[in-house]
């Protein structure tokens, strides 16, 4: 079945327009607030993780690497399982200190503008292959559906359209830290479209191509190699490295960081997302093996990366291919829109504002208008660079290959996150040195070879055969050397006082026990020390007020006694009745009381 | 019967669950789940089991937080 290019263009613009209407309706309050802040909407909005790599490329990845393709989602699952000790502390830090991006987070923790600039540069560069992947997927889809040969023109049209929608979505508010409720609901909607479409294509593969699950099982019995081809690469392949990469990508990719932390409306929503988001990913991937086998059984001549679309074109109906096209467009456009918004925020804070602030404005010109136009310009520039990158990638390593290159880039921030949450001694010199080492290895082993393969650079500096290695080897080496440098330099250098204070504040949000020594072991001692600073009366009043807030009776709590020892009573007996703890665990804690 | 005692602190429960999930997903248990003659949906069942574990963890943490 063939379509006209203009038909698909109209469908695409109408679909993006629908997303924009949903966003506007939410922002104007036409969609209830309870829906916009619902945990399931938040969870679905995290589905921006699944781009056209997931939508189209998973089938191709499964054909090449078998069930290794699941690692891209299993690592993410692990990151969300670990959310109480990983995502929630970061969410708390970003909320408390109003940090708008990954670069802001590192600039804050390591007390260094340079750290923010380097992270922005790495993440921006690292996102280019991913953006190019989206453009490639949409262009190739349109080519398959229309037989159109003007590949670069299609790509340009797509980039201009998505760039304009990115501006519409992301520059309606002045503040970079302001929540875009409309964006969250629109992205949640597009995740739902992706999920439903992929499930429908999966059902079509099982019932439309094979004739039911029984027939599918019969096919697998007749072709045992089809099933074996999925399992065999797992025990031989780089499973653990891929898991580590997707673990990092789950929250370090700019779009993920933006949706998880910056656009989080209710912090408690992350509790639901910790199991519901992996469930979303599981459902999204359930159709992949049947679609792969359907494509193989039909002996499709297109690359396996596009079997999702290929099998629907033989359905005899125009509805399923159009739906599939919308699902793929949805996946690609959402990635570009959210990534450019997140990257624009990082570029504004770390490049544009430090370089041009205060702006030289003409009389009567608004600084806020200047900021908005600056952000619009940055968004269009990022999409433009993404398009240029796509143009030079004629010999690209496939959808999954390009995606993995981006994963390795953002994974270089992983040691910094560990330092942020769990190693207060980590310092900016260590972080910057580690990041430079990791980014350099990534650049020379993965990023620069893309240009070399495209025939753009041929200098001897960039064609060192010893540096050519697989994505997973490059990931491993860059991460190991990055971490080692980070640790060694941090141990050999000192933190500034300011940095130490921020490091302590960040690690307080993790589960680490705060460092330091006990200065007061009783209420009386505490009051005495406080009074030396604020005076006796204020100290006494503040201590009484704090005890009242805690539901403790002033005068009863005093001498330190070993927990559970003589002279102690259960904490809940000391509380005023109205404040009695309902938590059985808390109620069992003992607090000392003078008898 | 509760799999994890509620006497454990939330962070301890989380670490235990993450370790269990990692153990299931990382070698050497992979050889069990990904044997060549396994049914095609087995990896998805293992994955679903981990999601259930995560759901259980959240319920436990919510109970402890009340």
């Amino acid at each position: 079945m063939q379509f006209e290019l203009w038909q698909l263009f109209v469908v695409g613009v109408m679909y993006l327009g629908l997303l924009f209407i949903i966003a506007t309706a939410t922002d104007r309050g036409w969609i209830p607030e309870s829906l916009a802040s619902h945990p399931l909407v938040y969870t679905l909005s995290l589905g921006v993780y699944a781009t056209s790599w997931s939508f189209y490329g998973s089938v191709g990845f499964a054909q090449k690497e078998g069930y290794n393709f699941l690692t891209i989602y299993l690592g993410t699952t692990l990151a969300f399982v670990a959310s109480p000790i990983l995502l929630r502390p970061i969410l708390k830090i970003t909320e408390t200190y109003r940090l708008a991006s990954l670069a802001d987070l590192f600039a804050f923790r390591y007390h260094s503008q340079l750290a923010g600039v380097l992270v922005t540069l790495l993440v921006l560069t690292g996102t280019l292959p991913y953006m190019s992947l989206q453009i490639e997927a949409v262009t190739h889809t349109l080519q398959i559906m229309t037989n159109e040969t003007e590949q670069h023109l299609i790509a340009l049209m797509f980039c201009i359209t998505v760039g304009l929608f990115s501006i519409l979505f992301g520059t309606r508010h002045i503040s970079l830290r302001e929540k875009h409720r409309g964006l969250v609901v629109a992205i949640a909607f597009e995740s739902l479209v992706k999920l439903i479409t992929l499930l429908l294509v999966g059902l079509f593969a099982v019932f439309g191509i094979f004739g039911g699950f029984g027939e599918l099982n019969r096919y697998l019995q007749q072709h045992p190699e089809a099933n074996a081809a999925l399992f065999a690469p797992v025990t031989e392949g780089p499973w653990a490295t891929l898991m580590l990469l997707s673990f990092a990508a789950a929250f370090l990719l700019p779009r993920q960081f933006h949706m998880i932390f910056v656009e989080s409306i209710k912090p408690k929503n992350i509790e639901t997302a910790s199991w519901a988001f992996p469930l979303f990913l599981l459902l999204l991937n359930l159709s992949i093996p049947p679609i792969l086998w359907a494509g193989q059984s039909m002996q499709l001549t297109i690359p396996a990366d596009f079997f999702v679309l290929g099998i629907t074109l033989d359905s005899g109906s125009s509805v399923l291919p159009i739906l599939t096209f919308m699902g793929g467009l949805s996946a690609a456009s959402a990635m570009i829109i959210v990534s450019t918004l997140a990257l624009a925020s990082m570029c504004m804070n770390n490049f544009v504002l430090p370089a041009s602030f205060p702006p030289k404005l003409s009389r009567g010109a608004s600084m806020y208008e200047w900021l908005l136009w600056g952000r619009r310009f940055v968004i269009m520039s990022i999409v433009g660079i993404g398009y240029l990158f796509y143009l030079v990638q004629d010999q690209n390593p496939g959808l999954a290959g390009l995606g993995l290159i981006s994963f390795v880039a953002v994974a270089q921030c992983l040691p910094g996150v560990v330092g942020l949450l769990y190693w207060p001694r980590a310092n900016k010199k260590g972080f910057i040195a580690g990041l430079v080492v990791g980014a350099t290895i990534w650049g020379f082993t993965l990023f620069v070879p893309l240009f070399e393969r495209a025939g753009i650079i041929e200098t001897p500096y960039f064609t060192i055969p010893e540096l050519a290695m697989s994505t997973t080897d490059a990931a491993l080496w860059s991460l190991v050397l990055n971490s080692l440098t980070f640790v060694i330099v941090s141990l050999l250098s000192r933190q500034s006082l300011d940095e130490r204070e921020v490091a302590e504040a960040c690690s307080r949000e993790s589960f680490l026990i705060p460092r330091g020594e006990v200065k007061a072991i009783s209420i009386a001692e505490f009051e005495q020390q406080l009074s030396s600073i604020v005076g006796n009366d204020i100290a006494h009043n503040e201590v009484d007020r704090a005890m009242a807030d805690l539901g403790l009776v002033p005068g009863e709590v005093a001498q330190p006694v070993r927990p559970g020892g003589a002279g102690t009573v259960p904490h809940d007996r000391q509380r005023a009745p109205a404040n009695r703890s309902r938590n059985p665990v808390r109620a069992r804690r003992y607090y000392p009381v003078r008898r | 019967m509760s799999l994890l005692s509620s006497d454990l602190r939330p962070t301890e429960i989380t670490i235990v669950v993450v370790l269990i999930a990692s153990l299931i997903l990382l070698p050497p248990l992979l050889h069990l789940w990904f044997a060549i003659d396994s049914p095609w949906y087995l990896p998805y069942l293992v994955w679903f089991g981990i999601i259930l574990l995560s759901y259980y963890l959240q319920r436990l943490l919510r109970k402890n937080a009340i």
Side-chain angles (χ1 to χ4, degrees), chain A residues 46 68 81 87 168 252 307 394 420 478 518:
Chain A
L46 305 185
N68 277 328
V81 172
L87 305 183
L168 281 175
L252 292 176
F307 276 6
D394 279 343
L420 184 148
S478 59
V518 177

Side-chain angles (χ1 to χ4, degrees), chain A residues 255-333:
Chain A
R255 64 179 189 279
Q256 288 303 109
F257 191 92
H258 191 79
M259 296 312 289
I260 296 173
F261 305 116
V262 183
E263 299 293 358
S264 164
I265 297 168
K266 279 188 192 166
K268 279 183 86 70
N269 283 351
I270 206 161
E271 292 172 12
T272 306
S274 69
W275 59 267
F277 181 55
L279 187 62
F280 167 84
L281 293 176
L282 186 150
L283 292 174
L284 197 73
N285 283 283
L286 206 52
S287 303
I288 302 302
I291 292 171
L292 172 64
W293 296 323
Q296 285 172 339
S297 74
M298 291 167 76
Q299 295 181 327
L300 293 178
T301 51
I302 56 172
D305 274 344
F306 297 96
F307 276 6
V308 173
L309 182 67
I311 63 167
T312 63
L313 289 172
D314 278 3
S315 65
S317 153
S318 59
V319 178
L320 200 52
I322 291 280
L323 262 179
T324 310
F325 166 71
M326 278 168 55
L329 178 74
S330 205
S333 54

Side-chain angles (χ1 to χ4, degrees), chain A residues 67 69 73-74 77-78 81-82 84 227-228 231 235 239 243 271 274-275 278 282 285-286 289 293 511 583 585 588, chain B residues 6-7 11 14 18 21 25 30-31 34-36 38-40 43-44 47-48 51 54-55 57-58 61-62 64 66:
Chain A
Y67 273 132
F69 86 92
Y73 311 96
L74 290 172
T77 300
L78 268 188
V81 172
N227 197 32
F231 284 98
T235 46
W239 177 275
M243 286 262 294
E271 292 172 12
S274 69
W275 59 267
L282 186 150
N285 283 283
L286 206 52
W293 296 323
F511 67 84
N583 181 348
V585 175
R588 274 198 296 276
Chain B
S6 59
D7 283 342
T11 47
T14 308
V18 172
L25 288 177
L30 269 188
H31 291 272
F34 289 84
I36 283 178
S38 303
W40 71 270
Y44 291 94
W47 189 359
F48 187 64
I51 293 169
S54 184
Y55 175 72
L57 166 71
Q58 288 306 324
L61 293 181
R62 200 170 296 170
N64 278 0
I66 294 171

Side-chain angles (χ1 to χ4, degrees), chain A residues 438-585:
Chain A
T440 307
I441 296 172
W442 170 81
F444 276 94
T445 55
L446 295 176
F447 190 71
V448 171
L450 286 175
F451 292 90
E452 191 198 321
R453 230 173 288 158
I456 292 187
I457 46 171
E458 288 176 2
T459 64
Y461 299 107
F462 296 117
T463 51
I464 304 166
E466 287 79 10
L467 288 182
M469 58 173 82
S470 71
T471 310
T472 47
D473 284 347
L476 210 59
W477 280 108
S478 59
L479 274 173
V480 166
L481 293 176
N482 176 346
S483 307
L484 273 176
T485 312
F486 176 53
V487 171
I488 291 169
V489 176
S490 289
L491 288 175
L492 294 178
S493 54
R494 285 188 173 185
Q495 282 176 323
S496 66
L497 194 62
D498 289 341
E499 196 184 349
R500 196 176 309 155
E501 277 176 16
V502 179
E504 295 289 347
C506 288
S507 61
R508 264 199 293 277
E509 303 301 344
S510 69
F511 67 84
L512 286 182
I513 298 164
R515 281 170 37 182
E517 56 185 275
V518 177
K519 292 282 186 187
I521 55 170
S522 70
I523 301 285
E525 272 188 35
F526 178 76
E527 191 176 317
Q528 190 186 352
Q529 289 184 22
L530 188 63
S531 62
S532 67
I533 303 166
V534 295
N536 287 339
D537 290 345
I538 296 176
H540 185 73
N541 289 341
E542 288 304 313
V543 168
D544 277 358
R545 187 189 296 180
M547 289 176 67
D549 286 348
L550 292 167
L552 300 172
V553 181
E556 277 194 8
V557 182
Q559 293 303 315
V561 187
R562 289 180 70 81
T568 63
V569 293
H571 177 218
D572 54 345
R573 283 193 209 162
Q574 298 170 28
R575 285 177 173 273
N579 291 330
R580 186 177 290 274
S581 169
R582 286 180 292 141
N583 181 348
V585 175

